[in-house]
């Protein structure tokens, strides 16, 4: 059920509708927009009778939702969501969001060297795993909480917003303590207890697409987070598994306009995991921006040859600087000039 309020509906009318939703045992999700507020209703198993709401003051219409998602859709919120990170940084606004940093935090010296450089070349966000989801249990698993402490120090030193992965529910507590944005990795996209926990978190969520997830599955994972009350979600296309073996994953850039058609959530591109190869990262980053991504997440290392994870796809500091130059000019070309 989607309840659309009249454009002149008052806050107290919205609250009165929310009370009725709650009395019926459901949850209401108010989404204020530029022209009107809409309220998404979740928690109902079957259809809800629109007549519960149609005659309440300030209600324009109550619409049954036939699609599988209720909260991520443009029906609920026709304007794009701008996700706010760490107070003053945004993803989904006019500026192209650049998230850069190593695959894993390996040492204080490594993290600081990379952070200092990517900040100079124009990153607002610093990425780096403290807890790594590795295919082999014998591979480097990350520095754990020590890695998070280093990330918090990077934020203090350089003002970069920290994006880092939570592998499990306890990991969300830790990212809330040290970071600015909770990354949910591809392998965890359908870890429903983790999604629910992230939905109760006070930080925005970066939700990677699962290795073999369809668009619907990915959007429904976002729906899990939103249904718990966290509406600050950024989707991330990071490539999917196909028969192609010339890349680590196959970047599905058509996912960007496909998401746009359905959802108000921002969507960014990860050409590092999407290709797995250093020489492909910049070309696919350009393509991601050209196709309309709200930002990029790029793995960068000061010594890629010595990286403890994902060295083959890491850009050098200089390569990252050049990438930023290139994608910025593409972003300028495709951004419509302000009218007037
Ligand atoms: C990562 O960002 O380092 C990572 C593990 O990504 P993904 O979950 O997309 O594989
Ligand atoms: Mn990685």
């Amino acid at each position: 059920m989607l309840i659309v309020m009249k454009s002149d509906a008052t806050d107290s009318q919205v609250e009165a509708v929310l009370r009725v939703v709650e009395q019926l045992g459901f949850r209401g999700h108010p989404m204020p927009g530029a022209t009107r507020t809409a309220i998404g209703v979740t928690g109902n198993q079957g259809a809800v009778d629109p007549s519960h709401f149609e005659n309440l003051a300030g209600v324009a219409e109550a619409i049954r939702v036939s699609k599988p998602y209720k909260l991520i859709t443009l029906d609920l919120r026709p304007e794009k969501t701008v996700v706010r990170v760490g107070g003053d940084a945004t993803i989904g606004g006019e500026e192209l969001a650049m998230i850069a940093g190593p695959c894993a935090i390996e040492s204080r010296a490594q993290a600081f060297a990379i952070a200092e450089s990517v900040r100079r070349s124009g990153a607002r966000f610093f990425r780096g795993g403290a807890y790594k989801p590795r295919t082999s249990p014998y591979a480097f698993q990350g520095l754990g909480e020590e890695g998070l402490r280093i990330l918090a120090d990077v934020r203090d030193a350089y003002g970069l917003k920290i994006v880092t992965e939570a592998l499990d529910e306890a990991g969300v507590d830790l990212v809330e303590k040290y970071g600015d944005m909770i990354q949910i990795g591809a392998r965890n996209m359908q870890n429903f207890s983790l999604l629910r926990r992230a939905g109760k978190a006070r930080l925005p969520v970066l939700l990677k697409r699962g290795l073999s997830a369809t668009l619907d599955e990915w959007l429904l994972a976002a729906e899990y987070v939103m249904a718990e009350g966290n509406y600050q979600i950024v989707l991330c296309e990071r490539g999917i598994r196909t028969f192609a073996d010339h890349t680590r994953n196959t970047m599905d850039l058509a996912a960007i306009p496909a998401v746009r058609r359905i959802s108000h959530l921002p969507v960014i591109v990860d050409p590092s995991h999407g290709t797995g190869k250093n020489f492909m990262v910049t070309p696919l980053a350009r393509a991601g921006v050209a196709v309309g991504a709200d930002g990029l997440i790029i793995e960068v290392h000061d010594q890629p040859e010595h990286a403890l994870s994902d060295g083959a796809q890491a850009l050098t500091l200089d390569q990252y600087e050049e990438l930023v130059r290139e994608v910025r000019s593409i972003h300028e070309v495709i951004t419509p000039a302000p009218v007037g």
Side-chain angles (χ1 to χ4, degrees), residues 155-177:
R155 176 183 42 212
D156 292 346
Y158 300 111
L160 291 158
K161 310 300 177 192
I162 302 302
V163 182
T164 192
E165 179 162 356
L167 281 186
D168 48 30
E169 292 158 79
V172 176
D173 296 338
L174 287 166
V175 178
E176 283 187 306
K177 183 168 168 193

Side-chain angles (χ1 to χ4, degrees), residues 200-320:
K200 295 187 178 79
R202 58 173 185 84
L203 295 181
V205 173
L206 179 65
L207 181 62
K208 292 224 171 172
R209 181 177 180 182
L211 283 84
S212 62
T214 64
L215 190 67
D216 266 0
E217 288 163 342
W218 186 22
L219 293 172
L220 285 168
E223 191 79 27
Y224 263 90
V225 177
M226 286 192 88
E228 297 296 330
N230 188 349
Y231 310 133
Q232 295 278 291
I233 304 169
V234 175
L235 299 164
C236 177
E237 163 61 36
R238 47 79 73 207
I240 49 173
R241 185 160 290 189
T242 69
F243 54 80
D245 58 4
H246 58 287
T247 48
R248 182 178 180 189
N249 293 292
T250 298
M251 290 238 62
D252 175 17
L253 290 178
I256 290 42
V259 166
R260 276 276 183 283
R261 167 76 55 119
I262 300 170
S263 179
H264 52 83
L265 295 174
V267 55
I268 68 167
V269 159
D270 175 352
S272 305
H273 295 88
T275 64
K277 299 195 173 164
N278 172 288
F279 77 96
M280 291 183 178
V281 171
T282 298
L284 271 292
R286 290 188 212 116
V289 173
V291 86
D294 293 294
L296 296 170
I297 180 166
I298 307 288
E299 288 191 347
V300 182
H301 203 290
D302 58 334
Q303 294 176 290
E305 66 282 12
H306 293 127
L308 296 182
S309 62
D310 287 352
Q313 67 198 34
L315 294 191
T316 63
L317 304 176
D318 288 346
Q319 287 172 333
Y320 175 72

Side-chain angles (χ1 to χ4, degrees), residues 19-318:
R19 273 196 300 278
V20 174
V21 171
E22 260 166 50
Q23 280 157 7
L24 289 164
F26 310 138
R27 180 164 182 172
H29 303 262
M31 296 283 155
T35 56
R36 45 73 157 169
T37 292
I39 301 171
V41 179
T42 61
N44 54 302
Q45 292 301 331
V48 182
D49 185 351
S51 66
H52 286 300
F53 311 106
E54 274 164 352
N55 297 323
L56 297 177
V59 171
E61 53 179 338
I63 309 162
R64 284 207 174 108
V65 178
S66 55
K67 294 174 190 145
Y69 15 73
K70 304 179 176 196
L71 303 177
I72 59 102
T73 70
L74 290 166
D75 299 333
L76 184 63
R77 191 184 155 83
E79 304 89 27
K80 203 154 89 187
T81 289
V82 178
V83 170
R84 196 161 278 286
V85 185
D88 57 344
T90 56
I91 304 177
E94 275 167 25
E95 203 180 323
L96 183 70
M98 293 301 302
I99 308 172
C103 179
I105 301 302
E106 299 168 3
S107 69
R108 186 168 290 269
Q110 173 243 23
F112 272 67
I114 300 168
E116 196 270 330
S117 176
V118 298
R119 192 192 61 147
R120 249 190 301 112
S121 18
R124 289 277 275 139
F125 306 86
F126 189 66
R127 63 146 293 145
Y131 295 87
K132 295 303 302 177
R134 304 305 301 280
T135 300
S136 164
Y138 309 118
F140 176 59
Q141 304 285 309
L143 295 182
E145 195 164 355
E146 174 56 16
L148 291 175
R149 279 193 285 269
I150 293 170
L151 283 166
D153 292 345
V154 162
R155 176 183 42 212
D156 292 346
Y158 300 111
L160 291 158
K161 310 300 177 192
I162 302 302
V163 182
T164 192
E165 179 162 356
L167 281 186
D168 48 30
E169 292 158 79
V172 176
D173 296 338
L174 287 166
V175 178
E176 283 187 306
K177 183 168 168 193
Y178 295 103
D180 298 301
M181 186 172 208
I182 303 158
Q183 178 174 329
I184 295 187
R187 290 153 192 82
N188 262 326
M189 190 207 80
Q190 284 190 318
N191 179 339
F192 299 116
S193 50
L194 178 60
L195 295 174
R196 284 206 181 90
R197 172 64 188 88
K200 295 187 178 79
R202 58 173 185 84
L203 295 181
V205 173
L206 179 65
L207 181 62
K208 292 224 171 172
R209 181 177 180 182
L211 283 84
S212 62
T214 64
L215 190 67
D216 266 0
E217 288 163 342
W218 186 22
L219 293 172
L220 285 168
E223 191 79 27
Y224 263 90
V225 177
M226 286 192 88
E228 297 296 330
N230 188 349
Y231 310 133
Q232 295 278 291
I233 304 169
V234 175
L235 299 164
C236 177
E237 163 61 36
R238 47 79 73 207
I240 49 173
R241 185 160 290 189
T242 69
F243 54 80
D245 58 4
H246 58 287
T247 48
R248 182 178 180 189
N249 293 292
T250 298
M251 290 238 62
D252 175 17
L253 290 178
I256 290 42
V259 166
R260 276 276 183 283
R261 167 76 55 119
I262 300 170
S263 179
H264 52 83
L265 295 174
V267 55
I268 68 167
V269 159
D270 175 352
S272 305
H273 295 88
T275 64
K277 299 195 173 164
N278 172 288
F279 77 96
M280 291 183 178
V281 171
T282 298
L284 271 292
R286 290 188 212 116
V289 173
V291 86
D294 293 294
L296 296 170
I297 180 166
I298 307 288
E299 288 191 347
V300 182
H301 203 290
D302 58 334
Q303 294 176 290
E305 66 282 12
H306 293 127
L308 296 182
S309 62
D310 287 352
Q313 67 198 34
L315 294 191
T316 63
L317 304 176
D318 288 346

